[in-house]
Amino acid sequence: MVALTTRPAVPPASSPAGAPVRRLPALRHLGPNWYASVMGTAIVATAGAGLPWQPPGMRTALSVVWALSALLLGVLLTARALHWAHHRDQARAHLLDASMAPFYGCLAMALLAVGGATLVVGSDWIGVRAAVAVDLVLFTAGTVTGVLAAVAVPYLMVTRHRPPLADASPVWLLPVVAPMVSAALGPLLVPHLPAGQLRQTLLYCCYGLFGLSLLGALLMLPLVVGRLLTGGPPALALTPTLFLVLGPLGQSTTAVHQLAEAAQGVVPGPYAGGFATLAVLYGVPVMGFAALWLGLAGALVVRALRRGLGFSLTWWGFTFPVGTCVTGLAGLGSRTGLGLFDLAATGLYALLVAAWLVACAGTTRRLVTGRLPAPPA
C-alpha cells in the first residue's frame, strides 16, 4: 500500500520533466458537442411515435432506439465528468471558446430529449410510473441547465468571447433553443401531476420558457442570415450546422401544439381555446418558413458535398432539428386533420432516419479507428 501511494509519477516521454501527467488522454478533446448524438438518437424515437402511420414492429424498433439514447446519455455524462476531472484545463478552454461554449446547450437538450423519449416510448418497457419519475428528474435537470446556458453563454460571449459578426453561426442558437425543448416536452408531464396549482404552474412556466427561447432565437437569427448574405457560405465542415436553424422553428411549433393539448381541462375554457388557436395560427406560418430554410440549407449542403465536404460531428446537425420539424408537422396534422401535414411529417421522418444512420455509422467508424475524439480543425 505504501508503494502504491508514494511511487512518483513518471512523466511520458513526450512531456517535459515536471509536467503534469494527463490521464485518460482519449477523453481530452471530448467536448459538449458530443451530446448532439444523444439528442439526434432520442428524437428518432420520439418523432417516430408521433407519426400517424405505425407499421407493425415500429414501436419495438423505437423502444430499442430509446434504450440506445439512454445508454449514450449515461456513457457521455460519465465521460464528460472524467473529462472535467482529468482535463480541467481543456474543459475550461472549451467554455471560454466562442465556437465551443454554445454546445453546452446540447447538454440540456440531451437530458430533455431522453426524458421525453422515456415517457413517450420507454414507458412500454419500464412502465408509466417509472417513466414519469425518470422524465421528471431529467426534465428538471435539463430545464435548469438550459436556462443557465441561455444566460451564461451569451454573458460569456459579451464579456469574454466577443466574437466578430463575421463569425456568426447557427451554433449561436443552441443555448437559447434549449428552453424551447423544455417548453415542448414539459406539457407531457402535466397530466401526471396533481390537479390544480401544480399543473397550471408547470403549464405557464412552459409558456414562459417558450417566450424566453423564441425571443432569444429571434435576436440571434438575423445575425446568422446577415452573415450568410454578406460573407457567403460557411466553411465546408460547418455547412451542416445550417440545419440547426430548423431547431427553434420545429420545436416552437411542437411546443405550441403540446401546450394546447395540455391546457385542456387545466386552464379556463377561453384560455384553452386561445392556446388551441395559437397552435395553428403560429405553427403553419413557421413551418412554411422552415420549408424555405430546409430548401436553402439543403442546397448549400449539396454545394458543399460537391466541393469535398467530409464527415464530421457536425453531421449530427442533420438529425435533431429535422426531428423537431417532424413532431411539429405531426402536431399540425392531428390538429387540422390535413393529410398534407401527415405526409410531410412522414417524408421528413424518412430523411431523419437516413441522416441518423449516416451519422451513427460515421461516428462509430471514427471511434473505432481512433480518429475521434479529436481536436477541432
Side-chain angles (χ1 to χ4, degrees):
M1 178 65 68
V2 174
L4 289 176
T5 57
T6 59
R7 185 176 59 188
V10 178
S14 59
S15 300
V21 177
R22 303 291 184 189
R23 290 191 289 174
L24 301 175
L27 298 180
R28 180 158 179 78
H29 299 291
L30 185 75
N33 53 330
W34 278 82
Y35 286 112
S37 62
V38 179
M39 299 159 49
T41 302
I43 197 68
V44 171
T46 305
L51 291 178
W53 300 294
Q54 299 286 321
M58 183 170 179
R59 190 76 182 185
T60 301
L62 296 180
S63 298
V64 173
V65 174
W66 157 76
L68 177 61
S69 71
L71 176 63
L72 286 174
L73 178 63
V75 170
L76 271 177
L77 287 175
T78 302
R80 284 286 296 163
L82 293 172
H83 173 79
W84 270 96
H86 299 295
H87 302 283
R88 190 163 298 178
D89 62 322
Q90 186 65 34
R92 289 174 176 171
H94 286 161
L95 194 59
L96 297 179
D97 183 354
S99 63
M100 185 62 72
F103 284 100
Y104 274 89
C106 291
L107 166 59
M109 289 186 280
L111 294 168
L112 293 163
V114 173
T118 301
L119 189 55
V120 173
V121 177
S123 57
D124 292 353
W125 285 10
I126 65 175
V128 174
R129 187 169 184 175
V132 170
V134 171
D135 188 22
L136 187 60
V137 171
L138 293 178
F139 174 79
T140 302
T143 300
V144 172
T145 304
V147 172
L148 288 176
V151 175
V153 174
Y155 173 82
L156 288 173
M157 294 177 71
V158 171
T159 60
R160 298 292 297 271
H161 303 157
R162 297 185 182 177
L165 288 178
D167 290 347
S169 163
V171 172
W172 290 9
L173 291 166
L174 290 175
V176 297
V177 171
M180 187 66 78
V181 182
S182 296
L185 296 176
L188 298 177
L189 286 168
V190 169
H192 301 283
L193 297 179
Q197 288 281 323
L198 282 178
R199 289 186 180 182
Q200 293 181 9
T201 298
L202 178 57
L203 186 69
Y204 284 117
C205 282
C206 287
Y207 261 108
L209 292 168
F210 169 84
L212 182 161
S213 181
L214 178 63
L215 295 178
L218 290 177
L219 290 175
M220 294 292 188
L221 190 55
L223 302 178
V224 176
V225 176
R227 157 64 184 82
L228 288 175
L229 294 178
T230 59
L236 289 183
L238 295 179
T239 305
T241 64
L242 292 173
F243 273 66
L244 297 180
V245 175
L246 295 174
L249 303 177
Q251 199 66 276
S252 61
T253 302
T254 303
V256 291
H257 168 69
Q258 295 292 354
L259 288 165
E261 287 288 307
Q264 302 298 321
V266 175
V267 298
Y271 293 152
F275 293 161
T277 302
L278 176 64
V280 177
L281 294 182
Y282 174 89
V284 175
V286 170
M287 282 292 94
F289 179 71
L292 167 66
W293 192 268
L294 179 62
L296 174 62
L300 288 171
V301 167
V302 171
R303 176 184 180 275
L305 288 171
R306 290 177 176 175
R307 284 162 172 76
L309 171 64
F311 179 82
S312 67
L313 286 180
T314 58
W315 283 45
W316 283 101
F318 295 135
T319 56
F320 189 81
V322 173
T324 65
C325 291
V326 173
T327 56
L329 287 167
L332 286 174
S334 65
R335 190 161 295 279
T336 63
L338 292 178
L340 174 64
F341 292 123
D342 293 336
L343 184 62
T346 303
L348 271 186
Y349 186 74
L351 177 63
L352 166 63
V353 172
W356 177 71
L357 291 173
V358 171
C360 284
T363 303
T364 303
R365 184 166 58 250
R366 282 155 180 79
L367 280 171
V368 170
T369 59
R371 295 167 62 186
L372 288 175

